[in-house]
Amino acid sequence: MEACGVSLTPSTAAFGDEKKKMAAGKARGETKQGPLSLTAEEREALDGLDSRLFGFVKLQEDGARTKTLLGKAVCCYESLILKAEGKVEADFFCQLGHFNLLLEDYPKALSAYQRYYSLQSDYWKNAAFLYGLGLVYFYYNAFHWAIKAFQEVLYVDPSFCRAKEIHLRLGLMFKVNTDYESSLKHFQLALIDCNPCTLSSFEIRFHIAHLYETQRKYHSAKEAYEQLLQTENLPAQLKATVLQQLGWMYHNVDLLGDKATKETYAIQYLQKSLEADPNSGQSWYFLGRCYSSIGKVQDAFISYRQSIDKSEASADTWCSIGVLYQQQNQPMDALQAYICAVQLDHGHAAAWVDLGTLYESCNQTQDAIKCYLNATRSKSCSNTSILVGRIKFLQAQLCNLPQGSLQNKTKLLPSIEEAWSLPIPAELTSRQGAMNTAQQAYKAHHPNTEPVLGLNQTPIPQQFVPVHMITSSQIDGLSSPAKRKRTSSPTKHVEQLHANKDNLNPPQKLMLEQLESQFVLMKQGLQKCQSSHLSGPNDEQSLFSTGPAQYLQAAVTGIRKQTEVRTIPTNSVTQGDALNHLSSHIATSGGQQGITITKESKPSGKRSFMSETSRHAGDTPNGCTIVEELSNHVQQLMAEPVCNSNHGDCASPNLLISDNPQISTLFIGKANDNVGTGACDKVNNIHPDVHTKANNSVASSPSSVISTAASSPKSSGQTATHSVSSLNSPHSRLYTINREGLDNIQSSKKPDMPRVSHKPGPQIIPSVSVSIYSSSTEVLKACRNLGKNGLPDSCILLDKCPPPRPPTSPYPPLPKDKLNPPTPSIYLENKRDAFFPPLHQFCTNPKNPVTVIRGLAGALKLDLGLFSTKTLVEANNEHTVEVRTQLLQPADENWDPTGTKKIWRCESNRSHTTIAKYAQYQASSFQESLREESEKRMQHKEYLDNDSTSSNFSGKRRKGPFKIIKFGTNIDLSDDKKWKLQLHELTKLPAFVRVVSAGNLLSHLGHTILGMNTVQLYMKVPGSRTPGHQENNNFCSVNINIGPGDCEWFVVPEDYWGVLNDFCEKNNLNFLMSSWWPNLEDLYEANVPVYRFIQRPGDLVWINAGTVHWVQAIGWCNNIAWNVGPLTACQYKLAVERYEWNKLQSVKSAVPMVHLSWNMARNIKVSDPKLFEMIKYCLLKVLNQCQTLREALITAGKEVIWHGRTNEEPAHYCSICEVEVFDLLFVTNESNSQRTYIVHCQDCARKTSGNLDNFVVLEQYKMEDLMQIYDQFILAPSLSSSS
């Protein structure tokens, strides 16, 4: 195992000197005999311990010695830091974070890591630090921050030894966040890696199968599950889980066959699952559901009873029992079962609806209304509109009843208030109850009914019910069961406690304050969502959703203890469990490499990591808990007490490094001299995401420093420093840091007292620079010498390339009246105007994010009819069209399918058809619209005289129900034989907007990228949407409206893409890969300017580099579009930035920038100094990497085989991770012999085969040729100077 990023030898040696100087005292780290110190052997043992050993070093039994050593090291470090008054090298805090992480002391580890971050400007070079920080964030469910930290590890060190562990955790987190495509990619990357990991390949394959299931790809999921069952040596617990998933999927999914066949298979799979794991309460419950669906009532109840015996009480189980009773005409028992369900889960919409249905069937309308109202207040309710209609209908019925009729009416069931306080039989919930005895007892009360089981015996303890779940105006005197004891209503209970406040002891007063604050929140209508699924007495199957997040409770767990509290005291983590539907948790204890399958038994002692309801499958419809991001990437850590529910003791997961206030003060810094030690409970955690623009701090991407930091003959490269200190204030819970404000936040000042030295080890990337003006021979020689000195060759120059980050919102913010700027527009009258040089300059000016060139088609006499639907059908009627099925909505709004709230997610399902079939749809859509318009004219008089009715009508149209439309997109027009006339017509355009031109970077790729350097066609009906996006690799784009209808465009400048990225993350969307439609209200509130304009037929829209835009068709029209790369420094810089950002996000870049850069150096003479320096810098870095890799392979005895390149051969990407592979291709022996050439990058090849035995290395360029290109690429004289 390699050493951590820092060497311990110099630092630990310093303890000997400090030992003589340290005064006697009782500071932490000292004993009665004197201060602790580390021996040489201990220092040597500690030298190899860092975050990379987390989960792989045993601290129990034989590892007790290591645990003792780590504890001693922590004491020594704390003692030295205290003695030095915190004025020690940053690496001390990093190492201290590693030690605390290995000891699983997460609050201290987080505090130490954050202190290191605040002191170390180039923290991002330390992969072990980023990995440790990511592990801590993962532990606290702060997935937003954990994802960023792990991504940065893979970016700065793709060959990181724990890359497999990172991919596994990223897969799990993206799965929780419903980013299924990213999750699948990371699971697959983890699966191909042969290195050790905390999950086995079996369990990773299970997660992949379940991922297909959550995406509703049921056939793929079924196939993956069945393949897993055929695997040899499959662990019994995992086998039981797979069988359980298959059984439940057969029960729910109609695509898997007819009902009889499905239920037969479901029961067989569940029975086999119970054979492998008889104690699975979840499997028993599922089996009960299957028996109930085929009418086997007694078998169903026995299974439900087994479920209750084997696991903790489940609201789902009780709701199903209630349905069973209701079907058997046992209303009283059904009532009490439903009451059990809603007392276990106050937000269980299914139980509330079923209870309301039961009351309605007994003609108890008032109680039914109360239950329906509670159902509508649950976030898990999926048919709110139907329930609201039912409530109004029942209320109207009550109004029509004669007065006094309700009082004289005999009730068949107790009211909801009475039922809530009824004794609930403990017999059903006890694990040892006798079912037969209960059945016999029930027969005495119901002699004419064959009961399933009676529900009227001994009471069981129930949980406290929140007031807000029942409408106070309708149920004023509702009594609720308190824990272990029946009490009066919560309101009266709080009032009684308040009246006796003076007689309470301190703990009781604290509890009263908490109750009062909770009561205030409840009265405000705040609800805690505990997801469940709707079910009716005649539709029991719907109780459990078959949606994308079902039943992950059965998934493999084991890599994390569930008995520990995981509360990160920060606003960035939502209250509740961030893994509600995730049962596979990463280990926190060292040495746990195995797997533990989820048990339904409740952990004792501390609160379980999983919420009570989340133990039962199917309780989270969306499959995620959002981990919100704080504004400006500033995250606060506030220590809060965590109370043991059994013992009443409180332990604070303190973020301070020590209980000693002196040490605590040192760790949080002295940002506020007026703050005493009492304020040390509040620590601001500034994640590495905090950054400024390049002119203030480190560059946000490699290319952003190229123009300013590239070495010139007269200057040496310098690295901008970036350090933000921890903030501390007793008055504020959140610090807001704006784009420029970081200049005012100083890093820790240079102390008067010299820092204790801590020499960085070899893992920290050095700050070195090689001039781009040197010859290739000199460059390679310099880099080779650096490598011989023990510096990592792959990281040369990386000091200028910190991980890319989105830009913060520009500062100062724009005033509100500037948020709807006028769109830059040019009106053309003739051909001369179109070819006027200033038009090109105006469009490519970075200050203009978009330009609309009006009347272009008329000025150039373009025959737009060549792109009309009629002509397209005549030319190639069977040509393929990609179809997106969408909802017709207003252009400036985006509602969820139910029309209840505005959202960012813009769903569209993909399919394919032909031009002829889509043309037929387009025409029929137009005819249908004409008919609708005719009908509206006939009805117009009815609404003309009624303003309120008219406004209500428009509101209903706006919020749904929405009409389904189809959008024909991505129609490829690249074939010059099929589309000769159309492509020839486009040659009439000015050179700077043509598909092919010498000044277009994309024309120098040497191969085709469909839709970028070829033309694509779009066929639209009104409402067709192109969701929000930036063009591939931030290239410019050209879009011409063919007509006859118009399109509406929304455009946001490139500077604000970071703000939109933040909004996407907050809405659980992937900025690069998801479909999203921005909420304009959100943008205006965030001071984001939006250009909005109409594109008419014949208008050309020029989207400048990096501009964010989204488009909706107003009428029936066709559009053509392609990308252009102007030969400017701005375009190249933004393209490289997006190339690096894609790499960080594990997204494939459509444009291979390395390949393009070498072609540009070969084909183009560059006179712009900034553009030249950026291209030359890229060539230098790649040249060094090629040499380093080639020599390493030869040294290792691996033959490099000459392969060369063919004309128009595309650039190559790794078939696993999809990064660009240049020059040296790693190809499997099999694909090489078959000449299929499946390419891998070096990192993926080594993960698959450590010694590369299964690979051949193919070389496409001779080093001599690359060196010649590098040397011949020189700065050309500008046109002005040459003239």
Side-chain angles (χ1 to χ4, degrees):
M1 180 64 65
E2 299 175 5
C4 164
V6 289
S7 172
L8 282 173
T9 307
S11 61
T12 48
F15 285 112
D17 299 331
E18 289 296 323
K19 178 180 177 180
K20 300 176 183 179
K21 302 177 183 178
M22 293 178 69
K26 295 184 178 180
R28 186 176 179 89
E30 296 188 7
T31 64
K32 294 181 180 180
Q33 290 76 25
L36 295 174
S37 62
L38 297 171
T39 65
E41 291 82 3
E42 290 172 333
R43 292 197 297 269
E44 185 178 355
L46 289 170
D47 198 39
L49 297 179
D50 63 24
S51 61
R52 291 172 295 182
L53 290 177
F54 178 80
F56 296 90
V57 58
K58 295 182 179 180
L59 300 181
Q60 308 298 331
E61 299 174 0
D62 56 330
R65 181 176 176 274
T66 303
K67 185 175 183 179
T68 302
L69 176 60
L70 288 170
K72 182 179 179 181
V74 168
C75 290
C76 290
Y77 271 58
E78 290 180 1
S79 177
L80 178 60
I81 292 169
L82 179 62
K83 179 63 178 177
E85 297 182 359
K87 298 169 184 177
V88 297
E89 290 296 322
D91 293 327
F92 273 102
F93 294 102
C94 180
Q95 199 71 354
L96 191 55
H98 293 327
F99 296 159
N100 280 311
L101 175 65
L102 294 177
L103 290 170
E104 300 177 44
D105 193 339
Y106 298 98
K108 288 185 178 182
L110 182 57
S111 182
Y113 281 144
Q114 290 298 328
R115 189 62 174 157
Y116 170 79
Y117 161 75
S118 68
L119 295 173
Q120 188 71 31
S121 61
D122 55 353
Y123 63 86
W124 50 268
K125 296 179 181 179
N126 191 340
F129 156 70
L130 293 172
Y131 180 60
L133 186 64
L135 291 172
V136 175
Y137 282 141
F138 184 93
Y139 173 84
Y140 283 118
N141 304 333
F143 292 164
H144 173 78
W145 303 106
I147 287 171
K148 290 180 181 297
F150 285 147
Q151 286 176 334
E152 290 188 1
V153 175
L154 296 176
Y155 181 85
V156 301
D157 187 5
S159 59
F160 188 67
C161 62
R162 292 287 174 248
K164 182 175 183 177
E165 187 74 19
I166 290 176
H167 285 304
L168 168 64
R169 292 171 187 258
L170 285 173
L172 294 173
M173 290 186 286
F174 281 124
K175 190 177 183 183
V176 171
N177 290 346
T178 67
D179 186 353
Y180 300 125
E181 296 303 323
S182 298
S183 177
L184 178 61
K185 181 168 186 175
H186 286 289
F187 280 142
Q188 290 173 335
L189 288 170
L191 193 60
I192 63 105
D193 197 331
C194 59
N195 289 305
C197 177
T198 49
L199 279 187
S200 69
S201 60
F202 298 131
E203 290 130 17
I204 297 174
R205 288 172 60 189
F206 172 84
H207 274 288
I208 292 175
H210 187 268
L211 196 59
Y212 289 136
E213 185 180 352
T214 59
Q215 291 179 280
R216 299 178 184 267
K217 297 178 180 179
Y218 297 117
H219 289 293
S220 298
K222 174 177 171 291
E223 182 180 354
Y225 283 136
E226 290 174 344
Q227 288 178 354
L228 196 54
L229 288 175
Q230 296 171 2
T231 308
E232 295 182 1
N233 303 320
L234 188 67
Q237 289 282 21
L238 183 56
K239 181 179 180 181
T241 303
V242 174
L243 289 166
Q244 181 192 95
Q245 291 298 117
L246 269 173
W248 189 238
M249 197 164 67
Y250 265 105
H251 173 74
N252 280 304
V253 180
D254 294 334
L255 298 175
L256 299 181
D258 61 273
K259 183 176 180 180
T261 304
K262 289 193 311 110
E263 294 301 339
T264 301
Y265 277 113
I267 291 172
Q268 289 177 358
Y269 278 123
L270 290 170
Q271 287 174 338
K272 289 180 181 179
S273 175
L274 288 168
E275 290 175 6
D277 181 13
N279 296 319
S280 172
Q282 195 66 64
S283 293
W284 281 112
Y285 173 74
F286 289 161
L287 187 59
R289 290 290 304 278
C290 293
Y291 281 136
S292 177
S293 68
I294 60 176
K296 292 188 176 182
V297 178
Q298 291 299 329
D299 290 338
F301 186 84
I302 292 172
S303 298
Y304 290 149
R305 174 51 193 273
Q306 288 283 356
S307 174
I308 293 175
D309 286 347
K310 302 298 183 184
S311 62
E312 292 301 312
S314 162
D316 292 321
T317 306
W318 280 110
C319 184
S320 296
I321 291 174
V323 172
L324 208 57
Y325 283 138
Q326 196 166 349
Q327 290 173 342
Q328 297 303 305
N329 195 26
Q330 297 175 226
M332 185 63 191
D333 295 328
L335 170 72
Q336 291 186 308
Y338 291 142
I339 290 294
C340 278
V342 296
Q343 286 182 337
L344 285 168
D345 180 0
H346 306 308
H348 201 291
W352 283 118
V353 171
D354 291 343
L355 186 54
T357 306
L358 177 64
Y359 273 125
E360 196 176 345
S361 67
C362 296
N363 296 318
Q364 294 180 224
T365 308
Q366 285 182 320
D367 294 307
I369 291 175
K370 296 170 186 176
C371 295
Y372 291 150
L373 284 170
N374 280 324
T376 59
R377 291 184 176 91
S378 172
K379 292 183 179 179
S380 64
C381 184
S382 60
N383 58 352
T384 305
S385 58
I386 298 176
L387 287 177
V388 170
R390 189 63 186 167
I391 291 170
K392 291 180 179 178
F393 174 77
L394 295 177
Q395 287 173 337
Q397 277 189 336
L398 286 178
C399 293
N400 295 330
L401 291 176
Q403 291 184 355
S405 61
L406 291 177
Q407 287 80 0
N408 301 328
K409 188 176 180 180
T410 303
K411 294 183 177 181
L412 298 178
L413 293 174
S415 67
I416 182 67
E417 297 90 339
E418 296 167 342
W420 200 271
S421 300
L422 281 177
I424 306 298
E427 197 277 333
L428 267 184
T429 55
S430 65
R431 298 180 183 277
Q432 307 297 329
M435 185 180 63
N436 294 334
T437 305
Q439 289 177 343
Q440 293 171 2
Y442 190 85
K443 288 181 182 180
H445 298 279
H446 300 270
N448 299 324
T449 308
E450 181 61 30
V452 180
L453 189 61
L455 288 178
N456 49 7
Q457 289 149 23
T458 4
I460 61 168
Q462 293 293 335
Q463 296 179 355
F464 186 82
V465 60
V467 175
H468 69 270
M469 291 310 297
I470 307 295
T471 309
S472 58
S473 61
Q474 296 198 5
I475 309 177
D476 212 15
L478 175 63
S479 61
S480 61
K483 198 171 184 180
R484 301 287 176 187
K485 185 177 181 180
R486 304 285 177 182
T487 67
S488 60
S489 69
T491 310
K492 295 180 180 178
H493 183 70
V494 174
E495 290 174 352
Q496 291 172 0
L497 286 175
H498 187 78
N500 297 311
K501 186 175 181 179
D502 296 337
N503 299 326
L504 301 178
N505 58 33
Q508 291 171 334
K509 289 181 179 179
L510 177 62
M511 180 175 291
L512 174 60
E513 292 176 2
Q514 294 174 348
L515 286 173
E516 289 176 334
S517 63
Q518 292 173 5
F519 183 67
V520 170
L521 292 177
M522 291 171 185
K523 292 189 71 175
Q524 293 173 350
L526 300 177
Q527 301 183 29
K528 177 182 179 182
C529 173
Q530 296 181 338
S531 302
S532 57
H533 305 273
L534 288 177
S535 167
N538 300 319
D539 186 22
E540 185 190 0
Q541 175 129 350
S542 65
L543 178 68
F544 267 55
S545 168
T546 57
Q550 66 191 48
Y551 330 122
L552 207 59
Q553 172 69 13
V556 190
T557 73
I559 9 185
R560 179 186 260 181
K561 294 179 181 176
Q562 295 191 17
T563 56
E564 295 189 21
V565 177
R566 288 154 177 81
T567 5
I568 185 169
T570 169
N571 293 334
S572 71
V573 183
T574 56
Q575 295 299 320
D577 303 304
L579 286 180
N580 269 351
H581 81 308
L582 180 68
S583 59
S584 191
H585 312 304
I586 301 299
T588 58
S589 58
Q592 275 189 292
Q593 300 182 35
I595 188 68
T596 306
I597 302 298
T598 302
K599 297 292 183 184
E600 281 84 354
S601 57
K602 185 176 181 179
S604 59
K606 298 183 180 179
R607 176 176 60 84
S608 171
F609 172 68
M610 298 287 287
S611 66
E612 182 63 31
T613 55
S614 69
R615 295 176 181 282
H616 306 282
D619 64 349
T620 308
N622 296 327
C624 69
T625 298
I626 300 175
V627 182
E628 295 182 355
E629 176 187 3
L630 296 184
S631 61
N632 296 302
H633 307 287
V634 180
Q635 180 185 14
Q636 183 206 14
L637 297 177
M638 170 86 86
E640 296 175 353
V642 180
C643 298
N644 186 310
S645 58
N646 292 341
H647 306 292
D649 57 330
C650 289
S652 175
N654 223 326
L655 299 183
L656 309 179
I657 199 64
S658 169
D659 296 332
N660 188 323
Q662 292 178 283
I663 297 181
S664 302
T665 305
L666 295 177
F667 265 74
I668 60 177
K670 298 181 180 180
N672 191 336
D673 294 335
N674 297 324
V675 180
T677 57
C680 292
D681 287 341
K682 299 184 178 182
V683 183
N684 276 286
N685 167 23
I686 305 179
H687 187 267
D689 248 21
V690 180
H691 62 281
T692 61
K693 281 297 201 181
N695 57 345
N696 294 331
S697 183
V698 293
S700 61
S701 75
S703 60
S704 58
V705 295
I706 293 175
S707 59
T708 57
S711 302
S712 64
K714 298 182 180 180
S715 65
S716 59
Q718 295 183 2
T719 306
T721 59
H722 172 56
S723 178
V724 182
S725 63
S726 296
L727 304 178
N728 178 32
S729 169
H731 309 297
S732 173
R733 286 190 60 85
L734 178 65
Y735 288 85
T736 303
I737 299 179
N738 56 44
R739 185 174 187 176
E740 306 295 338
L742 289 180
D743 285 341
N744 300 323
I745 301 177
Q746 301 297 327
S747 59
S748 300
K749 296 181 179 179
K750 294 288 183 179
D752 299 330
M753 180 178 178
R755 290 185 181 274
V756 178
S757 174
H758 195 161
K759 184 178 179 181
Q763 187 187 2
I764 300 298
I765 298 168
S767 296
V768 294
S769 183
V770 179
S771 173
I772 62 173
Y773 293 93
S774 303
S775 68
S776 60
T777 305
E778 293 170 342
V779 166
L780 294 179
K781 181 179 180 181
C783 292
R784 186 181 290 110
N785 290 335
L786 289 172
K788 290 179 179 178
N789 292 332
L791 298 175
D793 296 305
S794 61
C795 299
I796 299 298
L797 305 173
L798 196 55
D799 58 305
K800 295 180 183 178
C801 303
R805 301 188 188 99
T808 55
S809 181
Y811 186 85
L814 291 174
K816 296 298 181 182
D817 60 348
K818 301 291 185 182
L819 298 182
N820 286 295
T823 304
S825 302
I826 304 293
Y827 294 82
L828 303 183
E829 296 182 357
N830 49 50
K831 184 176 180 180
R832 180 180 178 183
D833 292 344
F835 285 85
F836 193 46
L839 177 61
H840 178 198
Q841 298 167 7
F842 184 87
C843 290
T844 56
N845 187 339
K847 294 181 180 180
N848 298 323
V850 60
T851 302
V852 184
I853 305 178
R854 305 283 188 185
L856 177 76
L860 297 177
K861 298 181 180 179
L862 289 176
D863 184 4
L864 298 183
L866 291 171
F867 299 93
S868 67
T869 300
K870 179 182 178 181
T871 306
L872 295 172
V873 172
E874 293 172 351
N876 293 286
N877 62 344
E878 293 299 316
H879 198 68
T880 302
V881 177
E882 179 184 324
V883 176
R884 291 284 181 169
T885 304
Q886 302 173 334
L887 297 178
L888 175 60
Q889 303 202 49
D892 55 354
E893 295 175 348
N894 186 55
W895 296 81
D896 68 344
T898 63
T900 55
K901 63 179 180 178
K902 292 181 181 180
I903 59 174
W904 278 62
R905 187 178 296 276
C906 180
E907 295 292 357
S908 62
N909 299 319
R910 183 167 63 178
S911 59
H912 291 86
T913 185
T914 63
I915 285 181
K917 291 180 180 178
Y918 188 84
Q920 185 178 5
Y921 164 75
Q922 203 176 35
S924 62
S925 170
F926 181 72
Q927 294 295 330
E928 181 183 352
S929 177
L930 291 178
R931 288 194 300 270
E932 291 176 355
E933 285 295 324
S934 177
E935 294 173 2
K936 287 178 184 177
R937 291 193 195 99
M938 297 295 293
Q939 299 173 356
H940 182 63
K941 293 181 180 180
E942 299 179 19
Y943 298 99
L944 189 61
D945 300 328
N946 192 334
D947 294 337
S948 60
T949 305
S950 179
S951 61
N952 290 337
F953 177 73
S954 63
K956 289 180 181 178
R957 287 187 59 206
R958 185 181 69 166
K959 296 186 180 181
F962 301 111
K963 181 181 178 181
I964 296 177
I965 60 173
K966 295 181 180 180
F967 170 28
T969 183
N970 297 337
I971 305 169
D972 174 33
L973 303 186
S974 63
D975 192 335
D976 55 3
K977 294 180 180 178
K978 287 184 178 181
W979 309 103
K980 182 178 180 180
L981 293 177
Q982 286 78 6
L983 297 179
H984 178 73
E985 191 69 14
L986 297 180
T987 60
K988 296 179 181 180
L989 294 169
F992 79 97
V993 295
R994 287 180 194 160
V995 183
V996 179
S997 69
N1000 182 356
L1001 296 181
L1002 296 175
S1003 298
H1004 296 278
L1005 275 172
H1007 63 273
T1008 295
I1009 301 179
L1010 293 179
M1012 292 201 69
N1013 54 8
T1014 65
V1015 181
Q1016 279 192 335
L1017 173 78
Y1018 305 90
M1019 303 176 72
K1020 303 177 180 180
V1021 297
S1024 297
R1025 285 183 162 181
T1026 300
H1029 68 288
Q1030 290 172 299
E1031 295 295 321
N1032 288 327
N1033 284 92
N1034 283 335
F1035 276 82
C1036 301
S1037 74
V1038 173
N1039 186 295
I1040 300 176
N1041 185 8
I1042 304 302
D1046 299 338
C1047 291
E1048 185 167 11
W1049 288 65
F1050 301 84
V1051 169
V1052 170
E1054 186 272 336
D1055 289 344
Y1056 292 87
W1057 81 264
V1059 180
L1060 273 75
N1061 179 72
D1062 293 342
F1063 274 119
C1064 285
E1065 289 181 344
K1066 291 175 183 177
N1067 287 276
N1068 248 19
L1069 294 165
N1070 186 313
F1071 177 81
L1072 296 176
M1073 304 301 293
S1074 300
S1075 293
W1076 43 271
W1077 192 266
N1079 184 345
L1080 294 181
E1081 296 171 1
D1082 291 342
L1083 299 185
Y1084 293 144
E1085 187 177 349
N1087 295 304
V1088 176
V1090 180
Y1091 295 82
R1092 185 173 178 177
F1093 60 92
I1094 302 297
Q1095 179 194 26
R1096 298 181 176 86
D1099 290 350
L1100 182 148
V1101 174
W1102 171 276
I1103 293 294
N1104 221 346
T1107 297
V1108 186
H1109 56 287
W1110 54 104
V1111 190
Q1112 178 157 322
I1114 298 176
W1116 290 263
C1117 60
N1118 293 347
N1119 290 67
I1120 54 174
W1122 58 91
N1123 290 104
V1124 175
L1127 193 60
T1128 64
C1130 178
Q1131 174 64 87
Y1132 186 84
K1133 171 179 175 291
L1134 291 177
V1136 172
E1137 283 184 350
R1138 181 46 48 89
Y1139 181 84
E1140 297 298 324
W1141 175 253
N1142 287 345
K1143 192 184 300 181
L1144 180 76
Q1145 298 293 315
S1146 299
V1147 172
K1148 181 180 180 180
S1149 283
V1151 181
M1153 290 305 298
V1154 172
H1155 172 84
L1156 176 60
S1157 298
W1158 283 95
N1159 279 1
M1160 290 170 63
R1162 185 184 294 109
N1163 301 334
I1164 302 175
K1165 291 185 178 181
V1166 177
S1167 58
D1168 182 349
K1170 291 184 178 179
L1171 177 60
F1172 169 78
E1173 288 181 352
M1174 286 190 283
I1175 298 174
K1176 192 80 170 181
Y1177 174 83
C1178 176
L1179 302 182
L1180 184 153
K1181 187 174 180 180
V1182 174
L1183 190 66
N1184 170 54
Q1185 290 173 348
C1186 290
Q1187 174 193 252
T1188 304
L1189 179 56
R1190 192 175 188 280
E1191 292 180 350
L1193 290 170
I1194 294 174
T1195 302
K1198 190 68 180 178
E1199 182 183 4
V1200 177
I1201 303 173
W1202 170 250
H1203 184 68
R1205 283 181 60 85
T1206 60
N1207 291 333
E1208 299 185 358
E1209 180 179 346
H1212 293 282
Y1213 292 86
C1214 175
S1215 61
I1216 304 297
C1217 68
E1218 296 185 312
V1219 300
E1220 183 185 359
V1221 183
F1222 181 76
D1223 186 24
L1224 297 175
L1225 313 179
F1226 292 78
V1227 179
T1228 60
N1229 293 328
E1230 182 180 0
S1231 67
N1232 183 52
S1233 60
Q1234 296 176 354
R1235 297 187 179 276
T1236 54
Y1237 303 118
I1238 300 176
V1239 176
H1240 293 63
C1241 66
Q1242 179 198 193
D1243 294 316
C1244 289
R1246 289 193 180 277
K1247 290 172 185 175
T1248 306
S1249 176
N1251 52 12
L1252 299 178
D1253 286 343
N1254 192 37
F1255 286 86
V1256 296
V1257 183
L1258 305 180
E1259 185 179 30
Q1260 291 201 299
Y1261 299 95
K1262 296 291 186 182
M1263 280 300 297
E1264 296 78 12
D1265 295 337
L1266 294 178
M1267 293 171 65
Q1268 183 180 9
I1269 295 171
Y1270 179 87
D1271 291 334
Q1272 291 178 353
F1273 182 61
I1274 59 176
L1275 182 63
S1278 63
L1279 294 178
S1280 58
S1281 61
S1282 61
S1283 61

